[in-house]
PDB file of all heavy atoms in Angstrom:
ATOM      1  N   SER A   1     -28.727  26.489  42.240  1.00 95.00           N
ATOM      2  CA  SER A   1     -27.515  27.396  42.174  1.00 95.00           C
ATOM      3  C   SER A   1     -26.284  26.497  42.082  1.00 95.00           C
ATOM      4  O   SER A   1     -25.382  26.686  41.357  1.00 95.00           O
ATOM      5  CB  SER A   1     -27.530  28.131  43.470  1.00 95.00           C
ATOM      6  OG  SER A   1     -26.284  28.878  43.623  1.00 95.00           O
ATOM      7  N   VAL A   2     -26.290  25.367  42.914  1.00 95.00           N
ATOM      8  CA  VAL A   2     -25.109  24.460  42.850  1.00 95.00           C
ATOM      9  C   VAL A   2     -25.068  23.781  41.525  1.00 95.00           C
ATOM     10  O   VAL A   2     -23.839  23.724  40.969  1.00 95.00           O
ATOM     11  CB  VAL A   2     -25.362  23.422  43.984  1.00 95.00           C
ATOM     12  CG1 VAL A   2     -24.378  22.264  43.807  1.00 95.00           C
ATOM     13  CG2 VAL A   2     -25.228  24.014  45.326  1.00 95.00           C
ATOM     14  N   ARG A   3     -26.165  23.369  40.892  1.00 95.00           N
ATOM     15  CA  ARG A   3     -26.025  22.805  39.462  1.00 95.00           C
ATOM     16  C   ARG A   3     -25.451  23.782  38.492  1.00 95.00           C
ATOM     17  O   ARG A   3     -24.683  23.428  37.638  1.00 95.00           O
ATOM     18  CB  ARG A   3     -27.470  22.356  39.014  1.00 95.00           C
ATOM     19  CG  ARG A   3     -27.771  21.040  39.660  1.00 95.00           C
ATOM     20  CD  ARG A   3     -29.178  20.574  38.986  1.00 95.00           C
ATOM     21  NE  ARG A   3     -30.177  21.474  39.286  1.00 95.00           N
ATOM     22  CZ  ARG A   3     -31.411  21.188  38.820  1.00 95.00           C
ATOM     23  NH1 ARG A   3     -31.678  20.175  38.035  1.00 95.00           N
ATOM     24  NH2 ARG A   3     -32.432  22.007  39.139  1.00 95.00           N
ATOM     25  N   PHE A   4     -25.764  25.156  38.667  1.00 94.00           N
ATOM     26  CA  PHE A   4     -25.204  26.087  37.821  1.00 94.00           C
ATOM     27  C   PHE A   4     -23.720  26.139  37.941  1.00 94.00           C
ATOM     28  O   PHE A   4     -22.970  26.119  37.003  1.00 94.00           O
ATOM     29  CB  PHE A   4     -25.738  27.545  38.135  1.00 94.00           C
ATOM     30  CG  PHE A   4     -25.069  28.618  37.489  1.00 94.00           C
ATOM     31  CD1 PHE A   4     -25.334  28.937  36.143  1.00 94.00           C
ATOM     32  CD2 PHE A   4     -24.190  29.491  38.132  1.00 94.00           C
ATOM     33  CE1 PHE A   4     -24.708  29.969  35.432  1.00 94.00           C
ATOM     34  CE2 PHE A   4     -23.425  30.456  37.589  1.00 94.00           C
ATOM     35  CZ  PHE A   4     -23.816  30.720  36.245  1.00 94.00           C
ATOM     36  N   TYR A   5     -23.146  26.116  39.176  1.00 94.00           N
ATOM     37  CA  TYR A   5     -21.745  26.296  39.422  1.00 94.00           C
ATOM     38  C   TYR A   5     -21.013  24.992  39.026  1.00 94.00           C
ATOM     39  O   TYR A   5     -19.869  25.197  38.407  1.00 94.00           O
ATOM     40  CB  TYR A   5     -21.432  26.599  40.927  1.00 94.00           C
ATOM     41  CG  TYR A   5     -21.676  28.014  41.148  1.00 94.00           C
ATOM     42  CD1 TYR A   5     -22.798  28.476  42.056  1.00 94.00           C
ATOM     43  CD2 TYR A   5     -20.809  29.018  40.894  1.00 94.00           C
ATOM     44  CE1 TYR A   5     -23.010  29.726  42.284  1.00 94.00           C
ATOM     45  CE2 TYR A   5     -20.926  30.389  41.131  1.00 94.00           C
ATOM     46  CZ  TYR A   5     -22.026  30.681  41.894  1.00 94.00           C
ATOM     47  OH  TYR A   5     -22.251  32.078  42.089  1.00 94.00           O
ATOM     48  N   ALA A   6     -21.608  23.804  39.162  1.00 94.00           N
ATOM     49  CA  ALA A   6     -21.044  22.623  38.622  1.00 94.00           C
ATOM     50  C   ALA A   6     -20.940  22.625  37.117  1.00 94.00           C
ATOM     51  O   ALA A   6     -19.917  22.282  36.607  1.00 94.00           O
ATOM     52  CB  ALA A   6     -21.902  21.502  39.104  1.00 94.00           C
ATOM     53  N   HIS A   7     -21.936  23.157  36.478  1.00 93.00           N
ATOM     54  CA  HIS A   7     -21.838  23.337  34.939  1.00 93.00           C
ATOM     55  C   HIS A   7     -20.861  24.230  34.444  1.00 93.00           C
ATOM     56  O   HIS A   7     -20.219  24.084  33.528  1.00 93.00           O
ATOM     57  CB  HIS A   7     -23.242  23.739  34.423  1.00 93.00           C
ATOM     58  CG  HIS A   7     -23.325  23.829  32.943  1.00 93.00           C
ATOM     59  ND1 HIS A   7     -23.097  24.938  32.328  1.00 93.00           N
ATOM     60  CD2 HIS A   7     -23.594  22.876  32.076  1.00 93.00           C
ATOM     61  CE1 HIS A   7     -23.214  24.718  30.941  1.00 93.00           C
ATOM     62  NE2 HIS A   7     -23.552  23.490  30.915  1.00 93.00           N
ATOM     63  N   GLU A   8     -20.633  25.390  35.262  1.00 92.00           N
ATOM     64  CA  GLU A   8     -19.788  26.449  34.828  1.00 92.00           C
ATOM     65  C   GLU A   8     -18.374  26.287  35.322  1.00 92.00           C
ATOM     66  O   GLU A   8     -17.449  27.040  34.816  1.00 92.00           O
ATOM     67  CB  GLU A   8     -20.165  27.772  35.295  1.00 92.00           C
ATOM     68  CG  GLU A   8     -21.679  28.249  34.657  1.00 92.00           C
ATOM     69  CD  GLU A   8     -21.613  28.401  33.169  1.00 92.00           C
ATOM     70  OE1 GLU A   8     -20.498  28.756  32.632  1.00 92.00           O
ATOM     71  OE2 GLU A   8     -22.528  27.818  32.578  1.00 92.00           O
ATOM     72  N   SER A   9     -18.044  25.261  36.164  1.00 91.00           N
ATOM     73  CA  SER A   9     -16.755  25.144  36.658  1.00 91.00           C
ATOM     74  C   SER A   9     -15.764  24.702  35.498  1.00 91.00           C
ATOM     75  O   SER A   9     -16.171  23.946  34.734  1.00 91.00           O
ATOM     76  CB  SER A   9     -16.695  24.077  37.791  1.00 91.00           C
ATOM     77  OG  SER A   9     -15.385  23.631  38.085  1.00 91.00           O
ATOM     78  N   CYS A  10     -14.591  25.275  35.492  1.00 90.00           N
ATOM     79  CA  CYS A  10     -13.621  24.825  34.402  1.00 90.00           C
ATOM     80  C   CYS A  10     -13.041  23.552  34.705  1.00 90.00           C
ATOM     81  O   CYS A  10     -12.380  22.953  33.913  1.00 90.00           O
ATOM     82  CB  CYS A  10     -12.576  25.994  34.351  1.00 90.00           C
ATOM     83  SG  CYS A  10     -11.345  26.004  35.697  1.00 90.00           S
ATOM     84  N   GLY A  11     -13.184  22.983  35.866  1.00 88.00           N
ATOM     85  CA  GLY A  11     -12.595  21.760  36.237  1.00 88.00           C
ATOM     86  C   GLY A  11     -11.089  21.596  36.565  1.00 88.00           C
ATOM     87  O   GLY A  11     -10.396  20.582  36.589  1.00 88.00           O
ATOM     88  N   LYS A  12     -10.422  22.864  36.718  1.00 90.00           N
ATOM     89  CA  LYS A  12      -9.055  22.792  36.845  1.00 90.00           C
ATOM     90  C   LYS A  12      -8.547  22.404  38.179  1.00 90.00           C
ATOM     91  O   LYS A  12      -7.504  21.674  38.262  1.00 90.00           O
ATOM     92  CB  LYS A  12      -8.559  24.274  36.688  1.00 90.00           C
ATOM     93  CG  LYS A  12      -7.012  24.477  36.813  1.00 90.00           C
ATOM     94  CD  LYS A  12      -6.518  25.914  36.436  1.00 90.00           C
ATOM     95  CE  LYS A  12      -4.975  25.921  36.553  1.00 90.00           C
ATOM     96  NZ  LYS A  12      -4.448  27.208  35.976  1.00 90.00           N
ATOM     97  N   CYS A  13      -9.353  22.726  39.258  1.00 90.00           N
ATOM     98  CA  CYS A  13      -8.882  22.247  40.617  1.00 90.00           C
ATOM     99  C   CYS A  13      -9.785  21.219  41.235  1.00 90.00           C
ATOM    100  O   CYS A  13     -10.971  21.179  40.910  1.00 90.00           O
ATOM    101  CB  CYS A  13      -8.769  23.374  41.570  1.00 90.00           C
ATOM    102  SG  CYS A  13     -10.202  24.341  41.804  1.00 90.00           S
ATOM    103  N   THR A  14      -9.316  20.348  42.166  1.00 91.00           N
ATOM    104  CA  THR A  14     -10.102  19.390  42.740  1.00 91.00           C
ATOM    105  C   THR A  14     -11.201  19.683  43.595  1.00 91.00           C
ATOM    106  O   THR A  14     -12.305  19.148  43.401  1.00 91.00           O
ATOM    107  CB  THR A  14      -9.181  18.504  43.554  1.00 91.00           C
ATOM    108  OG1 THR A  14      -8.101  17.905  42.769  1.00 91.00           O
ATOM    109  CG2 THR A  14      -9.903  17.245  44.195  1.00 91.00           C
ATOM    110  N   PRO A  15     -11.210  20.696  44.387  1.00 87.00           N
ATOM    111  CA  PRO A  15     -12.273  21.270  45.214  1.00 87.00           C
ATOM    112  C   PRO A  15     -13.493  21.507  44.367  1.00 87.00           C
ATOM    113  O   PRO A  15     -14.617  21.112  44.806  1.00 87.00           O
ATOM    114  CB  PRO A  15     -11.754  22.414  46.004  1.00 87.00           C
ATOM    115  CG  PRO A  15     -10.353  22.251  46.073  1.00 87.00           C
ATOM    116  CD  PRO A  15      -9.870  21.667  44.778  1.00 87.00           C
ATOM    117  N   CYS A  16     -13.322  22.185  43.321  1.00 90.00           N
ATOM    118  CA  CYS A  16     -14.403  22.504  42.351  1.00 90.00           C
ATOM    119  C   CYS A  16     -14.882  21.255  41.602  1.00 90.00           C
ATOM    120  O   CYS A  16     -16.014  20.981  41.533  1.00 90.00           O
ATOM    121  CB  CYS A  16     -13.970  23.616  41.419  1.00 90.00           C
ATOM    122  SG  CYS A  16     -15.199  24.923  41.237  1.00 90.00           S
ATOM    123  N   ARG A  17     -13.957  20.690  40.880  1.00 90.00           N
ATOM    124  CA  ARG A  17     -14.279  19.605  39.931  1.00 90.00           C
ATOM    125  C   ARG A  17     -15.037  18.425  40.735  1.00 90.00           C
ATOM    126  O   ARG A  17     -15.930  17.909  40.196  1.00 90.00           O
ATOM    127  CB  ARG A  17     -13.011  19.065  39.396  1.00 90.00           C
ATOM    128  CG  ARG A  17     -13.050  17.993  38.191  1.00 90.00           C
ATOM    129  CD  ARG A  17     -11.923  17.588  37.758  1.00 90.00           C
ATOM    130  NE  ARG A  17     -10.893  16.936  38.593  1.00 90.00           N
ATOM    131  CZ  ARG A  17      -9.768  17.427  39.095  1.00 90.00           C
ATOM    132  NH1 ARG A  17      -9.496  18.734  38.604  1.00 90.00           N
ATOM    133  NH2 ARG A  17      -9.028  16.866  39.859  1.00 90.00           N
ATOM    134  N   GLU A  18     -14.385  17.904  41.825  1.00 92.00           N
ATOM    135  CA  GLU A  18     -14.888  16.792  42.571  1.00 92.00           C
ATOM    136  C   GLU A  18     -15.873  17.258  43.677  1.00 92.00           C
ATOM    137  O   GLU A  18     -16.895  16.602  43.950  1.00 92.00           O
ATOM    138  CB  GLU A  18     -13.740  16.027  43.304  1.00 92.00           C
ATOM    139  CG  GLU A  18     -12.784  15.569  42.313  1.00 92.00           C
ATOM    140  CD  GLU A  18     -13.157  14.635  41.268  1.00 92.00           C
ATOM    141  OE1 GLU A  18     -14.207  14.001  41.417  1.00 92.00           O
ATOM    142  OE2 GLU A  18     -12.593  14.589  40.170  1.00 92.00           O
ATOM    143  N   GLY A  19     -15.633  18.350  44.232  1.00 90.00           N
ATOM    144  CA  GLY A  19     -16.468  18.821  45.371  1.00 90.00           C
ATOM    145  C   GLY A  19     -17.837  19.409  45.043  1.00 90.00           C
ATOM    146  O   GLY A  19     -18.831  18.958  45.581  1.00 90.00           O
ATOM    147  N   ILE A  20     -17.807  20.167  43.913  1.00 91.00           N
ATOM    148  CA  ILE A  20     -19.064  20.763  43.590  1.00 91.00           C
ATOM    149  C   ILE A  20     -19.704  19.898  42.608  1.00 91.00           C
ATOM    150  O   ILE A  20     -20.857  19.465  42.592  1.00 91.00           O
ATOM    151  CB  ILE A  20     -18.851  22.309  43.031  1.00 91.00           C
ATOM    152  CG1 ILE A  20     -18.374  23.132  44.184  1.00 91.00           C
ATOM    153  CG2 ILE A  20     -20.242  22.867  42.472  1.00 91.00           C
ATOM    154  CD1 ILE A  20     -18.056  24.538  43.631  1.00 91.00           C
ATOM    155  N   SER A  21     -19.018  19.687  41.454  1.00 87.00           N
ATOM    156  CA  SER A  21     -19.617  19.057  40.268  1.00 87.00           C
ATOM    157  C   SER A  21     -19.856  17.630  40.598  1.00 87.00           C
ATOM    158  O   SER A  21     -20.758  16.953  39.995  1.00 87.00           O
ATOM    159  CB  SER A  21     -18.656  18.976  39.050  1.00 87.00           C
ATOM    160  OG  SER A  21     -18.291  20.375  38.709  1.00 87.00           O
ATOM    161  N   GLY A  22     -19.242  16.997  41.578  1.00 88.00           N
ATOM    162  CA  GLY A  22     -19.502  15.662  41.983  1.00 88.00           C
ATOM    163  C   GLY A  22     -20.356  15.615  43.237  1.00 88.00           C
ATOM    164  O   GLY A  22     -21.625  15.432  43.124  1.00 88.00           O
ATOM    165  N   TRP A  23     -19.650  15.705  44.416  1.00 92.00           N
ATOM    166  CA  TRP A  23     -20.448  15.424  45.674  1.00 92.00           C
ATOM    167  C   TRP A  23     -21.664  16.413  45.965  1.00 92.00           C
ATOM    168  O   TRP A  23     -22.600  16.080  46.345  1.00 92.00           O
ATOM    169  CB  TRP A  23     -19.456  15.391  46.882  1.00 92.00           C
ATOM    170  CG  TRP A  23     -18.618  14.165  46.855  1.00 92.00           C
ATOM    171  CD1 TRP A  23     -17.359  13.921  46.260  1.00 92.00           C
ATOM    172  CD2 TRP A  23     -19.129  12.837  47.317  1.00 92.00           C
ATOM    173  NE1 TRP A  23     -17.024  12.582  46.499  1.00 92.00           N
ATOM    174  CE2 TRP A  23     -18.073  11.904  47.183  1.00 92.00           C
ATOM    175  CE3 TRP A  23     -20.269  12.447  48.051  1.00 92.00           C
ATOM    176  CZ2 TRP A  23     -18.176  10.672  47.555  1.00 92.00           C
ATOM    177  CZ3 TRP A  23     -20.291  11.133  48.549  1.00 92.00           C
ATOM    178  CH2 TRP A  23     -19.291  10.258  48.288  1.00 92.00           C
ATOM    179  N   MET A  24     -21.287  17.669  45.866  1.00 93.00           N
ATOM    180  CA  MET A  24     -22.270  18.687  46.181  1.00 93.00           C
ATOM    181  C   MET A  24     -23.569  18.497  45.517  1.00 93.00           C
ATOM    182  O   MET A  24     -24.810  18.486  45.998  1.00 93.00           O
ATOM    183  CB  MET A  24     -21.781  20.056  46.099  1.00 93.00           C
ATOM    184  CG  MET A  24     -22.527  21.136  46.767  1.00 93.00           C
ATOM    185  SD  MET A  24     -22.647  21.062  48.699  1.00 93.00           S
ATOM    186  CE  MET A  24     -21.065  21.605  49.074  1.00 93.00           C
ATOM    187  N   VAL A  25     -23.483  18.444  44.194  1.00 94.00           N
ATOM    188  CA  VAL A  25     -24.682  18.268  43.320  1.00 94.00           C
ATOM    189  C   VAL A  25     -25.400  16.964  43.707  1.00 94.00           C
ATOM    190  O   VAL A  25     -26.635  16.906  43.775  1.00 94.00           O
ATOM    191  CB  VAL A  25     -24.285  18.247  41.785  1.00 94.00           C
ATOM    192  CG1 VAL A  25     -25.415  17.837  40.948  1.00 94.00           C
ATOM    193  CG2 VAL A  25     -23.766  19.623  41.399  1.00 94.00           C
ATOM    194  N   LYS A  26     -24.708  15.963  43.956  1.00 95.00           N
ATOM    195  CA  LYS A  26     -25.384  14.703  44.290  1.00 95.00           C
ATOM    196  C   LYS A  26     -26.165  14.683  45.589  1.00 95.00           C
ATOM    197  O   LYS A  26     -27.240  14.219  45.805  1.00 95.00           O
ATOM    198  CB  LYS A  26     -24.460  13.603  44.354  1.00 95.00           C
ATOM    199  CG  LYS A  26     -23.788  13.111  42.979  1.00 95.00           C
ATOM    200  CD  LYS A  26     -22.758  11.978  43.128  1.00 95.00           C
ATOM    201  CE  LYS A  26     -22.140  11.620  41.762  1.00 95.00           C
ATOM    202  NZ  LYS A  26     -21.020  10.556  41.892  1.00 95.00           N
ATOM    203  N   MET A  27     -25.488  15.514  46.485  1.00 95.00           N
ATOM    204  CA  MET A  27     -26.116  15.532  47.856  1.00 95.00           C
ATOM    205  C   MET A  27     -27.481  16.479  47.721  1.00 95.00           C
ATOM    206  O   MET A  27     -28.509  16.170  48.296  1.00 95.00           O
ATOM    207  CB  MET A  27     -25.281  16.250  48.939  1.00 95.00           C
ATOM    208  CG  MET A  27     -24.181  15.208  49.273  1.00 95.00           C
ATOM    209  SD  MET A  27     -24.811  13.681  50.070  1.00 95.00           S
ATOM    210  CE  MET A  27     -25.683  14.390  51.398  1.00 95.00           C
ATOM    211  N   TYR A  28     -27.361  17.618  46.918  1.00 95.00           N
ATOM    212  CA  TYR A  28     -28.615  18.294  46.845  1.00 95.00           C
ATOM    213  C   TYR A  28     -29.661  17.578  45.881  1.00 95.00           C
ATOM    214  O   TYR A  28     -30.857  17.884  46.158  1.00 95.00           O
ATOM    215  CB  TYR A  28     -28.265  19.682  46.181  1.00 95.00           C
ATOM    216  CG  TYR A  28     -27.902  20.759  47.151  1.00 95.00           C
ATOM    217  CD1 TYR A  28     -26.586  21.012  47.628  1.00 95.00           C
ATOM    218  CD2 TYR A  28     -28.920  21.354  47.821  1.00 95.00           C
ATOM    219  CE1 TYR A  28     -26.414  21.873  48.498  1.00 95.00           C
ATOM    220  CE2 TYR A  28     -28.652  22.347  48.887  1.00 95.00           C
ATOM    221  CZ  TYR A  28     -27.429  22.720  49.224  1.00 95.00           C
ATOM    222  OH  TYR A  28     -27.058  23.521  50.144  1.00 95.00           O
ATOM    223  N   GLU A  29     -29.232  16.784  44.991  1.00 94.00           N
ATOM    224  CA  GLU A  29     -30.231  16.056  44.313  1.00 94.00           C
ATOM    225  C   GLU A  29     -30.950  15.003  45.134  1.00 94.00           C
ATOM    226  O   GLU A  29     -32.219  14.925  45.084  1.00 94.00           O
ATOM    227  CB  GLU A  29     -29.530  15.322  43.197  1.00 94.00           C
ATOM    228  CG  GLU A  29     -30.548  14.478  42.284  1.00 94.00           C
ATOM    229  CD  GLU A  29     -29.881  13.897  41.050  1.00 94.00           C
ATOM    230  OE1 GLU A  29     -28.627  13.811  40.978  1.00 94.00           O
ATOM    231  OE2 GLU A  29     -30.644  13.238  40.268  1.00 94.00           O
ATOM    232  N   LYS A  30     -30.251  14.503  46.121  1.00 94.00           N
ATOM    233  CA  LYS A  30     -30.821  13.504  46.903  1.00 94.00           C
ATOM    234  C   LYS A  30     -31.813  14.261  47.853  1.00 94.00           C
ATOM    235  O   LYS A  30     -33.017  13.775  48.047  1.00 94.00           O
ATOM    236  CB  LYS A  30     -29.603  12.962  47.814  1.00 94.00           C
ATOM    237  CG  LYS A  30     -30.126  11.962  48.921  1.00 94.00           C
ATOM    238  CD  LYS A  30     -28.923  11.467  49.784  1.00 94.00           C
ATOM    239  CE  LYS A  30     -29.297  10.458  50.946  1.00 94.00           C
ATOM    240  NZ  LYS A  30     -28.195  10.129  51.666  1.00 94.00           N
ATOM    241  N   LEU A  31     -31.451  15.343  48.492  1.00 94.00           N
ATOM    242  CA  LEU A  31     -32.297  16.221  49.208  1.00 94.00           C
ATOM    243  C   LEU A  31     -33.550  16.749  48.480  1.00 94.00           C
ATOM    244  O   LEU A  31     -34.787  16.638  48.860  1.00 94.00           O
ATOM    245  CB  LEU A  31     -31.722  17.406  49.988  1.00 94.00           C
ATOM    246  CG  LEU A  31     -30.697  16.948  51.148  1.00 94.00           C
ATOM    247  CD1 LEU A  31     -29.865  18.119  51.510  1.00 94.00           C
ATOM    248  CD2 LEU A  31     -31.399  16.310  52.358  1.00 94.00           C
TER     249      LEU A  31
END
């Protein structure tokens, strides 16, 4: 689910661009 949202984010704002597409995806990949 998180990977889907990271892929679909438009990247306009920092919480989405960095928080989901960056950190959140990496944390879930780790787990």
Side-chain angles (χ1 to χ4, degrees):
S1 174
V2 170
R3 281 188 294 180
F4 169 80
Y5 282 103
H7 181 270
E8 297 298 323
S9 170
C10 73
K12 180 171 183 172
C13 64
T14 302
C16 221
R17 183 181 63 251
E18 305 297 335
I20 297 175
S21 301
W23 283 96
M24 192 68 75
V25 169
K26 290 178 181 177
M27 289 303 301
Y28 268 97
E29 182 175 9
K30 181 183 178 184
L31 289 172

